[in-house]
Amino acid sequence: MSALQTPPRLRPRTLRIIPLGGLGDIGRNMTAFEINGKILLVDCGVLFPQDDQPGVDLILPGLDQLDDRLDDVVGLVLTHGHEDHIGAVPYLLRRRRDIPLYGSKLTLAFVDGKLREHRLRDTAMYHEVAEGDTVALDEFELEFFAVNHSIPDALAVAIKTAAGTVLHTGDFKMDQLPLDGRITDLRGFARLSLTGVDLLMADSTNAEVPGFTAPEKDVEPALERVFATSKQKLVVACFASHVHRVQQVMDLAVAYRRKVVYVGRSMVRNMTTAQELGFLKVPAGTLIELAQIDDYRDNEVVIISTGSQGEPLSALSRMANREHPTVQVGKGDTVLLASSLIPGNENAVYRVINGLTRIGASVVHKGNAFVHTSGHASAGELLYTYNVVKPFNVLPVHGEARHLVANAELAKATGVPADRVIVAEDGDVIDLFEGKARRVGRVDASYIFVDGSTVGDVTESSLTDRRILGEEGFISIIVAVDLRASSLVAGPDINARGFLTDPHIFDSVTRDVRQALLQALEEGVDDTHQLQQTVRRVVGRWVSKTYRSRPMIVPVVIAV
């Protein structure tokens, strides 16, 4: 990661773009746009933790960068309702409750459910927009375009300013046979190009994948085979916001005379909202409550569950561990993972698959059947987009480093000059001035960790401590000293957790600690912190030499 570099003072007629998340990760998407002292935000999502971030619930974008400028924020545009784009909205609104929110009907409805949980709903300022709408917002003029994605009602946004026009695609693909009939508005993109697109910020997730992303309809035959061959209980796990996939499962459930039950709080909340707004069609008598599941035989029900990414506390993980209070999966049952693997979640997902397999379930997933297609544009679609939009500058967004670089190469292949294609990191400061985008500095947009009810208190240092505790254990040494008499009053008492359990293993190092402390006291050391460091060094050398281990060492020296 590049070093921080204070950006220069913002010039008039300059649009400053600062990605606060989403560049380098699949998640925590957020970008700040500033001109003439006013700030527009696009998206505000979360990143889910990986195995090496123990105890972390969520990771937020660089919200701290906004703390001194919250009064200058004129609005937050939300491109669609996935967690990696809306999940951090409550944490932003805790800092300033009256930031206007702009989004489509379904997106704002999903946000409303989150704000209700965080008790922020009463002060929320919603502004519903749809494709074709334009909004004048202080220094910004916004125009919205329909885009096709794995969730209904997704939008791209054109941001028109005195410094030029930016097109932010959000997450999109070009499914020409979408389940909801709503295609990406390429004609709108082409029309926008006639007046000039100074900067295109395009979804990079599938930039490494050649060709075009398969249509959602192509998944249906494989899904139907699962229904046709499943003779007992059928569990389908997918993203809690994947309305299209749930609709496909719902239609097959009706065809195969199965009732549908949702499992998982977010699944229940989101699908209830989607049904109420007309985005999910549920035939009468199809849906039942979880409490009614025992009233039906196993082959008369399909369970739509959360947990497709192996989240430890999700419904599917609890089923795999035989810990779910209501749903038990066993021999002969079928579990369908109708989702893609988010990078970083592989171990967790395979752990769930193995757990389900051990208890006798047949697990169908993307690795052994065509049961999912991506919601993101592949290389062919991105090339098409560049040729239609003809941007003067390109800033790839939404992806890991390899995705961003691949997207940049596609832009260059269509004729965008290399010096006008910027592969940035979170926190980079890009200025658009007189038609040219330039990187001019760097600010801190590092991870903000959510751990239970605490936000930002967990640091990388504390995560390192947690990893050491989890992998190596810890050793505590307690000793009382009389500084005046230069003698030991009690101890050393050595205890360990997550280390070797034989109490006699510390006999030799206890003698070494005692001798080192007495020598230090005789040399006139009268500071307990220095004495603690002496203990740490002695025990550290012993445990490294004897066991080649690096546990956390916690020395406590008490002066009496």
Side-chain angles (χ1 to χ4, degrees):
M1 182 174 290
S2 306
L4 300 185
Q5 178 187 349
T6 303
R9 191 180 188 89
L10 192 58
R11 296 174 292 185
R13 298 184 65 81
T14 301
L15 177 63
R16 176 159 289 175
I17 301 107
I18 306 179
L20 298 176
L23 274 61
D25 296 303
I26 305 294
R28 72 181 204 122
N29 296 285
M30 187 176 193
T31 308
F33 299 84
E34 179 184 359
I35 188 169
N36 296 333
K38 299 300 180 182
I39 297 173
L40 174 73
L41 304 174
V42 173
D43 289 328
C44 189
V46 296
L47 174 68
F48 294 102
Q50 298 187 16
D51 289 343
D52 62 349
Q53 294 162 328
V56 174
D57 298 315
L58 299 170
I59 304 171
L60 307 181
L63 301 180
D64 291 346
Q65 274 300 316
L66 299 171
D67 278 349
D68 296 334
R69 303 291 307 280
L70 286 170
D71 290 340
D72 298 326
V73 176
V74 297
L76 168 61
V77 173
L78 301 167
T79 59
H80 64 282
H82 279 151
E83 285 293 308
D84 60 332
H85 292 258
I86 67 170
V89 172
Y91 300 95
L92 174 63
L93 295 189
R94 287 182 186 179
R95 301 176 184 226
R96 180 188 149 196
R97 292 193 170 213
D98 62 345
I99 295 176
L101 307 178
Y102 294 83
S104 65
K105 179 185 292 186
L106 183 64
T107 301
L108 292 182
F110 282 0
V111 171
D112 186 65
K114 303 183 76 64
L115 297 185
R116 186 187 301 117
E117 289 185 0
H118 286 259
R119 300 181 181 178
L120 293 166
R121 186 187 188 194
D122 292 343
T123 54
M125 298 177 62
Y126 298 131
H127 300 271
E128 185 182 315
V129 294
E131 54 265 31
D133 287 352
T134 58
V135 176
L137 197 57
D138 212 297
E139 297 286 337
F140 306 90
E141 182 182 339
L142 311 178
E143 183 177 1
F144 295 92
F145 301 88
V147 290
N148 179 252
H149 187 39
S150 55
I151 186 173
D153 228 14
L155 296 169
V157 58
I159 304 167
K160 302 174 183 178
T161 72
T165 298
V166 178
L167 176 59
H168 192 305
T169 67
D171 291 4
F172 83 110
K173 62 177 177 177
M174 295 184 187
D175 191 336
Q176 298 304 298
L177 298 170
L179 298 178
D180 58 1
R182 187 173 178 270
I183 64 173
T184 294
D185 187 6
L186 294 176
R187 289 189 298 178
F189 287 3
R191 174 177 51 77
L192 191 67
S193 74
L194 296 178
T195 55
V197 174
D198 296 282
L199 178 66
L200 175 61
M201 300 173 67
D203 176 6
S204 305
T205 312
N206 275 356
E208 292 183 308
V209 180
F212 285 68
T213 301
E216 294 286 344
K217 282 185 178 295
D218 287 2
V219 174
E220 290 179 355
L223 296 180
E224 184 163 9
R225 280 195 296 274
V226 172
F227 271 82
T229 57
S230 177
K231 304 304 180 184
Q232 293 181 198
K233 191 174 296 174
L234 174 58
V235 179
V236 178
C238 64
F239 294 117
S241 55
H242 203 330
V243 179
H244 293 323
R245 188 70 70 247
V246 171
Q247 184 68 71
Q248 289 174 308
V249 173
M250 190 75 66
D251 294 344
L252 286 167
V254 172
Y256 282 84
R257 298 182 180 180
R258 286 181 181 251
K259 302 295 184 183
V260 174
V261 58
Y262 301 138
V263 177
R265 186 178 61 176
S266 56
M267 182 68 72
V268 173
R269 182 186 66 207
N270 289 347
M271 292 308 121
T272 300
T273 298
Q275 182 181 353
E276 290 173 351
L277 297 179
F279 291 98
L280 179 66
K281 305 296 190 294
V282 181
T286 302
L287 202 59
I288 63 172
E289 298 292 329
L290 183 57
Q292 299 175 273
I293 195 170
D294 289 336
D295 297 338
Y296 298 86
R297 292 192 297 271
D298 285 350
N299 62 358
E300 294 177 337
V301 177
V302 56
I303 299 161
I304 304 180
S305 168
T306 57
S308 63
Q309 297 304 303
E311 303 92 323
L313 299 180
S314 68
L316 189 64
S317 289
R318 287 184 288 161
M319 292 177 205
N321 295 329
R322 296 186 174 182
E323 295 173 351
H324 197 280
T326 308
V327 181
Q328 286 77 44
V329 175
K331 187 174 179 59
D333 294 336
T334 302
V335 178
L336 167 62
L337 299 182
S339 63
S340 58
L341 262 176
I342 294 177
N345 292 347
E346 293 88 350
N347 289 341
V349 172
Y350 292 135
R351 192 179 303 124
V352 170
I353 291 175
N354 287 326
L356 292 166
T357 303
R358 282 192 201 98
I359 59 180
S362 172
V363 184
V364 182
H365 54 87
K366 191 178 179 182
N368 57 24
F370 185 43
V371 291
H372 181 75
T373 183
S374 175
H376 301 271
S378 296
E381 293 152 278
L382 290 170
L383 289 170
Y384 199 95
T385 302
Y386 287 124
N387 286 326
V388 167
V389 176
K390 300 185 183 301
F392 299 125
N393 301 271
V394 170
L395 175 63
V397 295
H398 198 289
E400 298 177 350
R402 59 195 174 95
H403 305 131
L404 303 177
V405 169
N407 200 355
E409 292 303 316
L410 294 174
K412 296 174 192 176
T414 62
V416 181
D419 65 339
R420 289 177 176 263
V421 179
I422 299 176
V423 178
E425 298 177 340
D426 293 337
D428 281 353
V429 180
I430 295 99
D431 280 358
L432 179 63
F433 177 68
E434 295 183 344
K436 180 72 182 292
R438 301 175 180 85
R439 194 185 340 243
V440 299
R442 180 167 176 77
V443 299
D444 183 14
S446 54
Y447 287 176
I448 298 174
F449 298 108
V450 178
D451 182 355
S453 61
T454 65
V455 179
D457 293 341
V458 175
T459 63
E460 288 288 355
S461 176
S462 56
L463 285 180
T464 299
D465 289 346
R466 290 180 182 184
R467 285 192 288 269
I468 292 172
L469 285 169
E471 296 169 5
E472 306 281 1
F474 81 95
I475 299 172
S476 67
I477 310 97
I478 303 174
V479 58
V481 300
D482 186 334
L483 295 176
R484 290 183 180 178
S486 297
S487 64
L488 304 188
V489 176
D493 291 329
I494 302 180
N495 293 283
R497 290 292 184 272
F499 194 65
L500 301 176
T501 57
D502 183 353
H504 300 294
I505 65 171
F506 298 116
D507 291 348
S508 63
V509 75
T510 300
R511 290 191 295 270
D512 294 342
V513 170
R514 182 180 295 110
Q515 291 172 3
L517 284 174
L518 289 172
Q519 182 178 344
L521 290 168
E522 289 172 2
E523 292 173 354
V525 176
D526 59 359
D527 178 69
T528 56
H529 176 71
Q530 291 185 42
L531 294 173
Q532 287 175 173
Q533 293 303 99
T534 298
V535 174
R536 189 191 305 276
R537 284 193 296 272
V538 171
V539 176
R541 282 196 299 266
W542 169 80
V543 75
S544 177
K545 180 180 178 180
T546 309
Y547 296 102
R548 296 191 178 185
S549 181
R550 297 181 63 187
M552 179 177 290
I553 299 171
V554 184
V556 179
V557 176
I558 305 168
V560 296

